[in-house]
PDB file of all heavy atoms in Angstrom:
ATOM      1  N   HIS A  47      -4.442  -4.216 -18.474  1.00 90.00           N
ATOM      2  CA  HIS A  47      -3.207  -4.030 -17.691  1.00 90.00           C
ATOM      3  C   HIS A  47      -2.945  -5.156 -16.686  1.00 90.00           C
ATOM      4  O   HIS A  47      -2.579  -4.906 -15.545  1.00 90.00           O
ATOM      5  CB  HIS A  47      -3.163  -2.667 -17.026  1.00 90.00           C
ATOM      6  CG  HIS A  47      -2.812  -1.507 -17.987  1.00 90.00           C
ATOM      7  ND1 HIS A  47      -1.511  -1.087 -18.147  1.00 90.00           N
ATOM      8  CD2 HIS A  47      -3.563  -0.808 -18.853  1.00 90.00           C
ATOM      9  CE1 HIS A  47      -1.475  -0.142 -19.051  1.00 90.00           C
ATOM     10  NE2 HIS A  47      -2.697   0.084 -19.480  1.00 90.00           N
ATOM     11  N   ALA A  48      -3.199  -6.345 -17.147  1.00 84.00           N
ATOM     12  CA  ALA A  48      -2.870  -7.606 -16.392  1.00 84.00           C
ATOM     13  C   ALA A  48      -2.154  -8.470 -17.449  1.00 84.00           C
ATOM     14  O   ALA A  48      -2.103  -8.148 -18.647  1.00 84.00           O
ATOM     15  CB  ALA A  48      -4.054  -8.251 -15.833  1.00 84.00           C
ATOM     16  N   GLU A  49      -1.553  -9.544 -17.037  1.00 83.00           N
ATOM     17  CA  GLU A  49      -0.806 -10.390 -17.908  1.00 83.00           C
ATOM     18  C   GLU A  49      -1.625 -10.828 -19.088  1.00 83.00           C
ATOM     19  O   GLU A  49      -2.783 -11.306 -18.879  1.00 83.00           O
ATOM     20  CB  GLU A  49      -0.260 -11.596 -17.141  1.00 83.00           C
ATOM     21  CG  GLU A  49       0.930 -11.238 -16.200  1.00 83.00           C
ATOM     22  CD  GLU A  49       1.441 -12.476 -15.536  1.00 83.00           C
ATOM     23  OE1 GLU A  49       0.788 -12.969 -14.627  1.00 83.00           O
ATOM     24  OE2 GLU A  49       2.554 -12.902 -15.908  1.00 83.00           O
ATOM     25  N   GLY A  50      -1.166 -10.642 -20.318  1.00 82.00           N
ATOM     26  CA  GLY A  50      -1.832 -11.096 -21.503  1.00 82.00           C
ATOM     27  C   GLY A  50      -2.999 -10.234 -21.925  1.00 82.00           C
ATOM     28  O   GLY A  50      -3.748 -10.680 -22.844  1.00 82.00           O
ATOM     29  N   THR A  51      -3.169  -9.060 -21.397  1.00 85.00           N
ATOM     30  CA  THR A  51      -4.229  -8.177 -21.818  1.00 85.00           C
ATOM     31  C   THR A  51      -3.721  -6.899 -22.412  1.00 85.00           C
ATOM     32  O   THR A  51      -2.542  -6.584 -22.340  1.00 85.00           O
ATOM     33  CB  THR A  51      -5.153  -7.824 -20.554  1.00 85.00           C
ATOM     34  OG1 THR A  51      -4.369  -7.007 -19.674  1.00 85.00           O
ATOM     35  CG2 THR A  51      -5.609  -9.121 -19.848  1.00 85.00           C
ATOM     36  N   ASP A  52      -4.648  -6.128 -22.989  1.00 86.00           N
ATOM     37  CA  ASP A  52      -4.204  -4.803 -23.562  1.00 86.00           C
ATOM     38  C   ASP A  52      -3.671  -3.911 -22.450  1.00 86.00           C
ATOM     39  O   ASP A  52      -4.135  -3.984 -21.314  1.00 86.00           O
ATOM     40  CB  ASP A  52      -5.409  -4.158 -24.208  1.00 86.00           C
ATOM     41  CG  ASP A  52      -5.802  -4.846 -25.534  1.00 86.00           C
ATOM     42  OD1 ASP A  52      -5.025  -5.672 -26.057  1.00 86.00           O
ATOM     43  OD2 ASP A  52      -6.936  -4.540 -26.056  1.00 86.00           O
ATOM     44  N   ALA A  53      -2.756  -3.035 -22.860  1.00 89.00           N
ATOM     45  CA  ALA A  53      -2.177  -2.112 -21.935  1.00 89.00           C
ATOM     46  C   ALA A  53      -2.043  -0.743 -22.566  1.00 89.00           C
ATOM     47  O   ALA A  53      -0.977  -0.300 -22.979  1.00 89.00           O
ATOM     48  CB  ALA A  53      -0.772  -2.623 -21.457  1.00 89.00           C
ATOM     49  N   PRO A  54      -3.195  -0.026 -22.738  1.00 92.00           N
ATOM     50  CA  PRO A  54      -3.143   1.221 -23.523  1.00 92.00           C
ATOM     51  C   PRO A  54      -2.642   2.434 -22.762  1.00 92.00           C
ATOM     52  O   PRO A  54      -2.395   3.485 -23.366  1.00 92.00           O
ATOM     53  CB  PRO A  54      -4.678   1.401 -23.832  1.00 92.00           C
ATOM     54  CG  PRO A  54      -5.367   0.796 -22.708  1.00 92.00           C
ATOM     55  CD  PRO A  54      -4.553  -0.399 -22.285  1.00 92.00           C
ATOM     56  N   TYR A  55      -2.476   2.376 -21.412  1.00 95.00           N
ATOM     57  CA  TYR A  55      -2.243   3.582 -20.647  1.00 95.00           C
ATOM     58  C   TYR A  55      -0.788   3.888 -20.403  1.00 95.00           C
ATOM     59  O   TYR A  55       0.087   3.005 -20.287  1.00 95.00           O
ATOM     60  CB  TYR A  55      -2.979   3.470 -19.320  1.00 95.00           C
ATOM     61  CG  TYR A  55      -4.468   3.493 -19.453  1.00 95.00           C
ATOM     62  CD1 TYR A  55      -5.255   2.495 -18.911  1.00 95.00           C
ATOM     63  CD2 TYR A  55      -5.113   4.546 -20.167  1.00 95.00           C
ATOM     64  CE1 TYR A  55      -6.600   2.516 -19.001  1.00 95.00           C
ATOM     65  CE2 TYR A  55      -6.485   4.552 -20.239  1.00 95.00           C
ATOM     66  CZ  TYR A  55      -7.243   3.565 -19.693  1.00 95.00           C
ATOM     67  OH  TYR A  55      -8.583   3.552 -19.846  1.00 95.00           O
ATOM     68  N   SER A  56      -0.539   5.191 -20.322  1.00 94.00           N
ATOM     69  CA  SER A  56       0.735   5.725 -19.817  1.00 94.00           C
ATOM     70  C   SER A  56       0.500   6.616 -18.636  1.00 94.00           C
ATOM     71  O   SER A  56      -0.587   7.208 -18.554  1.00 94.00           O
ATOM     72  CB  SER A  56       1.438   6.556 -20.944  1.00 94.00           C
ATOM     73  OG  SER A  56       1.795   5.730 -22.013  1.00 94.00           O
ATOM     74  N   VAL A  57       1.462   6.664 -17.749  1.00 96.00           N
ATOM     75  CA  VAL A  57       1.334   7.487 -16.543  1.00 96.00           C
ATOM     76  C   VAL A  57       2.588   8.322 -16.335  1.00 96.00           C
ATOM     77  O   VAL A  57       3.579   8.158 -17.074  1.00 96.00           O
ATOM     78  CB  VAL A  57       1.100   6.627 -15.293  1.00 96.00           C
ATOM     79  CG1 VAL A  57      -0.207   5.911 -15.376  1.00 96.00           C
ATOM     80  CG2 VAL A  57       2.214   5.612 -15.136  1.00 96.00           C
ATOM     81  N   ARG A  58       2.536   9.258 -15.373  1.00 96.00           N
ATOM     82  CA  ARG A  58       3.705  10.066 -15.138  1.00 96.00           C
ATOM     83  C   ARG A  58       4.892   9.247 -14.744  1.00 96.00           C
ATOM     84  O   ARG A  58       4.869   8.371 -13.921  1.00 96.00           O
ATOM     85  CB  ARG A  58       3.383  11.072 -13.996  1.00 96.00           C
ATOM     86  CG  ARG A  58       2.283  12.066 -14.348  1.00 96.00           C
ATOM     87  CD  ARG A  58       2.016  13.065 -13.220  1.00 96.00           C
ATOM     88  NE  ARG A  58       1.106  14.133 -13.652  1.00 96.00           N
ATOM     89  CZ  ARG A  58       0.861  15.182 -12.943  1.00 96.00           C
ATOM     90  NH1 ARG A  58       1.361  15.340 -11.705  1.00 96.00           N
ATOM     91  NH2 ARG A  58       0.018  16.125 -13.405  1.00 96.00           N
ATOM     92  N   GLY A  59       6.051   9.529 -15.424  1.00 96.00           N
ATOM     93  CA  GLY A  59       7.268   8.804 -15.151  1.00 96.00           C
ATOM     94  C   GLY A  59       8.006   9.385 -13.978  1.00 96.00           C
ATOM     95  O   GLY A  59       7.576  10.373 -13.368  1.00 96.00           O
ATOM     96  N   PRO A  60       9.162   8.820 -13.633  1.00 96.00           N
ATOM     97  CA  PRO A  60       9.879   9.254 -12.410  1.00 96.00           C
ATOM     98  C   PRO A  60      10.401  10.690 -12.473  1.00 96.00           C
ATOM     99  O   PRO A  60      10.657  11.258 -11.443  1.00 96.00           O
ATOM    100  CB  PRO A  60      11.053   8.220 -12.345  1.00 96.00           C
ATOM    101  CG  PRO A  60      11.193   7.671 -13.692  1.00 96.00           C
ATOM    102  CD  PRO A  60       9.811   7.660 -14.297  1.00 96.00           C
TER     103      PRO A  60
END
Side-chain angles (χ1 to χ4, degrees):
H47 279 267
E49 288 182 286
T51 67
D52 289 346
Y55 292 126
S56 295
V57 294
R58 293 182 173 187

